[in-house]
Amino acid sequence: MDRDKAELRWGIEQRLEFIEFRLFWEGHVNRIDVMQQFGVSVNQASSDLNRYIALAPDNMVYDKSARTYVRGSDFDCKFRPPDAAHYLSQLRLVADDVLEREDCWIPDLPPYASAPTPVRGVDPVTLRAVVGAIRRSEATEVKYQSLSSPEPRWRWIAPHAIAFDGFRWHTRAFCLTDECFKDFLLSRILGIRGSRESETSADEDRDWHSEVTLEVGPHPDLSETQAKVIALDYGMRGGKAKIKVRRALLYYALRRLGLDTDPDARRPQDQQIVLLNRDQISQTAQGIMQ
């Protein structure tokens, strides 16, 4: 099977993954599904279905009454393991108008809503310039509005990565003004002028290239039943879950999980989880701040 997959061209493999996706999530697939999704001919769609049957004969059978292929009783994914996060991300991307409806592999989207998030005004020209500087290992001069300064200032930065804190997009960069690696919000970059070769290597950003592990568990004041529910929510094993995060993003991760304050400051039902290795993480956070 692995050898057969390795010999597939990318376009064919994409269509076979699509067939498998539909079988797993919808329970059925037919030629018209493949034709509409990829714009291929009847013959090509039939060939793809036959090819999939040859690779995974137990995964689908033809239902003559429904005139479609249905998921086999011994179905086993061959191309990509079932991923709930991948399915749910498609829902979100379509709802946020990031992914076009026709590009989504889910035929009938279930009703979906999410808590509103303020729009972050990242200018596409700014993003293009930052990404270009990253790719070319260049420093670029940006007009940046920080909270500590009443007026925006021009400064040279050498960006090497893009980061998301759960709400806002940043670029991780070496600041030539402050002579250290920092996070710069893309929405606060008001202008860009000039670029030059960077003399700083991204490899020197130790906080970006190292990770810390957050160990979280149910709040100790929850009832036994409540603690079991929280353990299910976070996929805990043995009463705890381990979450890896880059040191550079530790502050944002703690804030997003509500672990940046004293757990006794909120009701257990609101706090729900606590940091089990708080002392270790606190020392790490202090080291980053210094």
Side-chain angles (χ1 to χ4, degrees):
M1 176 65 184
D2 291 339
R3 181 178 178 180
D4 292 334
K5 286 168 57 179
E7 294 175 351
L8 292 175
R9 296 195 304 273
W10 180 83
I12 297 175
E13 185 170 354
Q14 278 283 293
R15 296 195 295 274
L16 296 184
E17 283 189 18
F18 170 80
I19 291 170
E20 188 166 270
F21 180 94
R22 283 289 179 88
L23 286 171
F24 180 83
W25 291 106
E26 305 298 328
H28 57 84
V29 67
N30 55 35
R31 288 184 304 182
I32 193 66
D33 295 330
V34 181
M35 292 166 59
Q36 290 179 343
Q37 188 68 39
F38 296 97
V40 297
S41 66
V42 173
N43 290 339
Q44 182 62 67
S46 297
S47 176
D48 291 332
L49 289 167
N50 290 331
R51 187 187 296 268
Y52 186 82
I53 292 174
L55 292 172
D58 297 328
N59 277 9
M60 68 179 187
V61 295
Y62 188 71
D63 185 331
K64 294 182 179 179
S65 61
R67 296 184 178 182
T68 188
Y69 288 95
V70 297
R71 184 175 57 234
S73 58
D74 296 325
F75 181 88
D76 179 38
C77 284
K78 303 298 183 182
F79 285 86
R80 177 186 291 182
D83 188 351
H86 179 240
Y87 184 95
L88 294 173
S89 68
Q90 289 199 48
L91 288 183
R92 181 175 181 181
L93 290 173
V94 172
D96 291 345
D97 294 325
V98 176
L99 180 68
E100 295 293 336
R101 179 65 187 84
E102 56 267 24
D103 294 331
C104 178
W105 285 10
I106 305 171
D108 298 312
L109 292 173
Y112 167 84
S114 64
T117 301
V119 176
R120 305 295 179 179
V122 178
D123 182 77
V125 175
T126 296
L127 177 60
R128 182 183 64 185
V130 170
V131 172
I134 292 172
R135 289 173 175 167
R136 296 187 296 269
S137 299
E138 291 181 343
T140 185
E141 191 178 16
V142 301
K143 188 177 185 181
Y144 192 75
Q145 177 66 72
S146 66
L147 287 178
S148 60
S149 176
E151 298 294 333
R153 296 169 51 196
W154 287 98
R155 66 172 69 202
W156 282 91
I157 65 172
H160 70 79
I162 300 291
F164 184 62
D165 65 12
F167 295 99
R168 303 173 299 181
W169 288 96
H170 306 246
T171 182
R172 183 72 176 175
F174 183 79
C175 177
L176 279 72
T177 301
D178 297 333
E179 297 186 337
C180 64
F181 286 97
K182 301 173 63 174
D183 300 321
F184 292 90
L185 281 168
L186 292 175
S187 58
R188 294 183 186 172
I189 297 178
L190 307 180
I192 293 181
R193 64 181 188 191
S195 61
R196 66 191 188 201
E197 184 177 352
S198 174
E199 298 179 357
T200 304
S201 170
D203 295 338
E204 298 174 23
D205 190 352
R206 292 180 297 174
D207 287 339
W208 178 262
H209 292 290
S210 60
E211 291 183 332
V212 295
T213 300
L214 307 178
E215 295 185 1
V216 300
H219 196 291
D221 292 336
L222 291 174
S223 69
E224 182 178 349
T225 300
Q226 291 171 331
K228 289 181 179 179
V229 172
I230 299 304
L232 285 174
D233 287 345
Y234 289 85
M236 296 180 184
R237 295 181 179 275
K240 66 180 179 181
K242 295 183 177 181
I243 305 172
K244 289 186 177 181
V245 60
R246 293 180 187 270
R247 279 170 52 102
L249 302 179
L250 177 59
Y251 166 78
Y252 307 115
L254 293 175
R255 186 175 63 177
R256 190 178 186 191
L257 293 170
L259 299 172
D260 57 335
T261 58
D262 188 335
D264 295 329
R266 305 170 66 196
R267 296 189 317 134
Q269 291 80 2
D270 296 327
Q271 180 62 35
Q272 298 184 354
I273 60 173
V274 296
L275 194 57
L276 302 179
N277 58 339
R278 177 172 291 275
D279 290 343
Q280 175 188 348
I281 297 301
S282 295
Q283 292 177 2
T284 300
Q286 291 175 2
I288 296 174
M289 296 295 291
Q290 292 176 354

